[in-house]
Amino acid sequence: MTKNRIKYIDLFAGLGGIRLGFEQAFQAKGFDTECVMTSEIKPYAVKTLQHNFKRENFVGNIFNVLNEHIPDFDFLLAGFPCQPFSAGGKRQGFLDTRGTLFFEIERILTAKKPYGFILENVEGLVKHDLAHKKDEIGQTLQTILLKLKELGYQTTWKVLDSINFGLPQSRRRVFIIGTLDSSITWEEQPSVSGKLKDILEEGLPTIQSDFIDKLLSHFSIKDLYGKAIKDKRGGANNIHSWEIGLKGAVTSLQIAILNKLFKERRKKQWATQIGIDWMDGMPLTLDQIASFCVGELYCEKKELKQLLNDLVTKGYLRFEHPKKLVKEKVGDGIKSYRVYDETKPKGYNIVTGKLSFEFNKILDPNDIAPTLVATDVSRLAVPEKNGLRKLTVREGLRLFGFPEWYKIPTTQKQAFDLLGNTVAIPVVAYVASLLAATFKPQRQEISSTSPVWSL
């Protein structure tokens, strides 16, 4: 290969965000880059990759790719899904990675011995499977680092947040990087802020719906900036469905009672009184609710019951038994879950649901977006003049630093699913720049499948 040509493979590629950041960093150092193999199994992700990256070597499921069919390469890139490792072998001081997606990375590194790698995962990987609460990292990450060390790589890791790289989105991810010959030092990372309004499209049509009409009848557009709309959460920046009469008109007294019940149902004292293990949100009986409906909330018990039953009919409350905690042995572990305890009296509980409403968050153009998650990114509302609209796919791409030429030729639902699982490109570019700064392109080929680096 030519002195300044870098070859790499992209595993669990998704939208190809890691490769874009990698290429950006290495090309800035004067290297030519070539992706010699891409692995991805999700059909609409493959369609997107093929649309944006022509004449690629797409191989599908990496489990089905033999070592001898993988071209030689210099760097392995992988945003691999986190899976628990087998506990077998713990007494010997190691965990078994067989059967996990990381094992495929381990297999390829063993067979091909590339110069280095970039691995990316959710922040939760750091403390996944903690042996002790005070440990810095869990056994899963410990195992990964141990395996990479055994393969001869000098490895380091760090959690980085996209908000520090000029993107108006907080997205914390762990990056694991390593090379065969150089110990990488994490340089002081940049801290460049950005605002949502910098990436928004303008002049798009707003949505007309009963939900939005009721929302705007109670709040101005600017008053909605940064507000969440969830019945399962409270706080000054949260709007509840009963506060806008979404499921039907309610009185000011009913609103006050609901707001009080919302907080009380989460207190441990009621679990003790009911005789159940504490849970975050329990149904409370009429007598229990009457005990804290005092002062401005006071009303006769008969009237209180009528008010509560009306809220049940309209769907703001549910009349149900409390739930008890059940633990049962499953294999070598214990499975815990809750079931209704019909020996306990029924009570009134708030009806909650994370995806209950058309929108669950109104974005603030002068602030940042929350971490985009595949399950609810389509429920983020963008203020547009005097109305609201959904976040567009283009805006989603900009929140991750994708170039304007990049397109996702799928349905909007599929596009948001892919975006919810992708990486922030400027963060990857920073990580890759650390590797590019230490890379010395002097390679000797012993055989077509056994590259060795010499410096």
Side-chain angles (χ1 to χ4, degrees):
M1 66 185 231
T2 61
K3 182 177 180 180
N4 287 324
R5 179 173 291 278
I6 299 295
K7 293 184 178 183
Y8 65 92
I9 65 172
D10 192 10
L11 308 183
F12 320 108
L15 288 174
I18 296 182
R19 68 175 284 171
L20 287 172
F22 178 86
E23 289 181 340
Q24 186 180 113
F26 272 83
Q27 289 172 9
K29 291 286 187 179
F31 292 100
D32 292 330
T33 56
E34 180 184 358
C35 182
V36 296
M37 190 183 80
T38 300
S39 174
E40 173 58 49
I41 62 172
K42 192 172 286 187
Y44 46 93
V46 173
K47 180 180 179 181
T48 301
L49 290 167
Q50 291 175 332
H51 179 83
N52 291 282
F53 308 111
K54 307 298 183 183
R55 296 178 294 281
E56 292 283 331
N57 178 22
F58 292 100
V59 297
N61 195 334
I62 195 61
F63 278 91
N64 301 327
V65 182
L66 300 177
N67 294 336
E68 54 265 33
H69 293 162
I70 300 175
D72 289 340
F73 61 93
D74 306 302
F75 286 92
L76 181 148
L77 314 179
F80 69 105
C82 174
Q83 294 171 292
F85 294 159
S86 168
K90 271 189 179 180
R91 293 179 182 176
Q92 286 72 43
F94 69 91
L95 299 179
D96 192 352
T97 65
R98 285 174 295 183
T100 70
L101 294 174
F102 176 75
F103 180 74
E104 298 306 306
I105 296 171
E106 186 182 342
R107 167 178 71 90
I108 295 170
L109 290 176
T110 302
K112 306 299 292 186
K113 273 289 187 283
Y115 176 76
F117 57 80
I118 297 177
L119 308 181
E120 178 269 349
N121 213 299
V122 296
E123 183 185 14
L125 174 67
V126 175
K127 296 200 172 183
H128 186 270
D129 195 18
L130 277 177
H132 306 97
K133 289 184 178 180
K134 294 184 179 180
D135 288 348
E136 180 187 9
I137 64 175
Q139 294 179 99
T140 301
L141 181 55
Q142 287 180 26
T143 302
I144 290 172
L145 297 176
L146 174 62
K147 293 297 182 182
L148 294 170
K149 181 179 180 181
E150 289 175 348
L151 291 175
Y153 288 96
Q154 298 186 47
T155 306
T156 184
W157 64 274
K158 191 175 183 65
V159 174
L160 299 172
D161 192 338
S162 61
I163 195 174
N164 296 318
F165 294 82
L167 297 178
Q169 177 194 183
S170 178
R171 192 175 190 83
R172 293 173 60 82
R173 291 294 185 268
V174 60
F175 287 86
I176 307 168
I177 58 176
T179 74
L180 287 173
D181 59 51
S182 299
S183 178
I184 304 296
T185 300
W186 294 95
E187 299 174 358
E188 184 175 350
Q189 64 190 68
S191 183
V192 183
S193 60
K195 293 185 177 180
L196 187 64
K197 63 183 179 182
D198 298 331
I199 62 94
L200 293 179
E201 298 184 275
E202 297 181 352
L204 299 181
T206 56
I207 295 174
Q208 305 298 316
S209 69
D210 179 62
F211 172 82
I212 293 176
D213 288 344
K214 287 181 176 177
L215 196 59
L216 294 179
S217 69
H218 289 78
F219 299 91
S220 70
I221 287 293
K222 288 192 175 181
D223 287 338
L224 288 173
Y225 283 8
K227 292 290 194 296
I229 306 168
K230 298 175 183 177
D231 284 351
K232 66 186 298 180
R233 289 288 179 265
N237 284 325
N238 193 84
I239 298 171
H240 299 117
S241 63
W242 53 83
E243 292 168 332
I244 59 174
L246 184 61
K247 300 176 181 179
V250 292
T251 66
S252 58
L253 178 57
Q254 284 178 311
I255 291 175
I257 291 172
L258 282 166
N259 286 335
K260 183 68 174 177
L261 174 58
F262 177 84
K263 296 178 180 178
E264 287 287 334
R265 58 192 271 277
R266 305 174 72 176
K267 294 183 177 179
K268 293 184 178 181
Q269 70 185 65
W270 301 116
T272 302
Q273 189 178 111
I274 295 169
I276 60 171
D277 293 288
W278 178 79
M279 59 182 294
D280 188 6
M282 299 162 285
L284 302 182
T285 65
L286 176 63
D287 288 339
Q288 288 169 335
I289 295 173
S291 70
F292 55 75
C293 282
V294 296
E296 295 180 353
L297 297 182
Y298 176 77
C299 57
E300 295 291 337
K301 192 175 293 185
K302 181 178 179 180
E303 181 186 358
L304 178 61
K305 184 176 182 179
Q306 290 175 339
L307 293 174
L308 293 172
N309 287 340
D310 178 59
L311 293 171
V312 171
T313 300
K314 290 174 178 173
Y316 295 106
L317 292 178
R318 184 183 291 117
F319 191 58
E320 61 186 5
H321 291 286
K323 290 183 177 181
K324 60 182 178 181
L325 183 64
V326 176
K327 295 182 179 180
E328 63 179 33
K329 189 173 181 179
V330 179
D332 295 331
I334 301 294
K335 180 181 179 182
S336 299
Y337 58 93
R338 291 185 181 272
V339 296
Y340 287 108
D341 187 347
E342 296 183 0
T343 68
K344 307 296 183 186
K346 284 187 172 182
Y348 297 90
N349 203 358
I350 302 291
V351 175
T352 63
K354 184 177 180 182
L355 304 179
S356 299
F357 310 124
E358 186 175 349
F359 292 118
N360 57 28
K361 176 78 173 181
I362 313 298
L363 299 178
D364 182 349
N366 299 308
D367 201 351
I368 64 169
T371 301
L372 295 195
V373 180
T375 53
D376 60 4
V377 64
S378 63
R379 296 176 185 271
L380 297 176
V382 177
E384 182 73 43
K385 295 183 179 178
N386 293 317
L388 298 172
R389 62 170 176 82
K390 289 186 177 183
L391 190 75
T392 68
V393 174
R394 175 54 57 194
E395 290 167 340
L397 285 166
R398 289 173 180 172
L399 281 172
F400 289 93
F402 277 83
E404 290 296 298
W405 56 260
Y406 193 99
K407 292 181 173 56
I408 306 181
T410 66
T411 66
Q412 186 180 65
K413 182 179 179 180
Q414 291 171 339
F416 282 137
D417 176 59
L418 295 173
L419 283 168
N421 292 291
T422 195
V423 296
I425 292 173
V427 182
V428 179
Y430 161 72
V431 173
S433 70
L434 302 180
L435 295 173
T438 65
F439 182 69
K440 299 178 181 64
Q442 298 173 22
R443 182 175 181 174
Q444 296 176 341
E445 299 287 350
I446 290 180
S447 72
S448 61
T449 59
S450 302
V452 174
W453 285 87
S454 63
L455 301 180

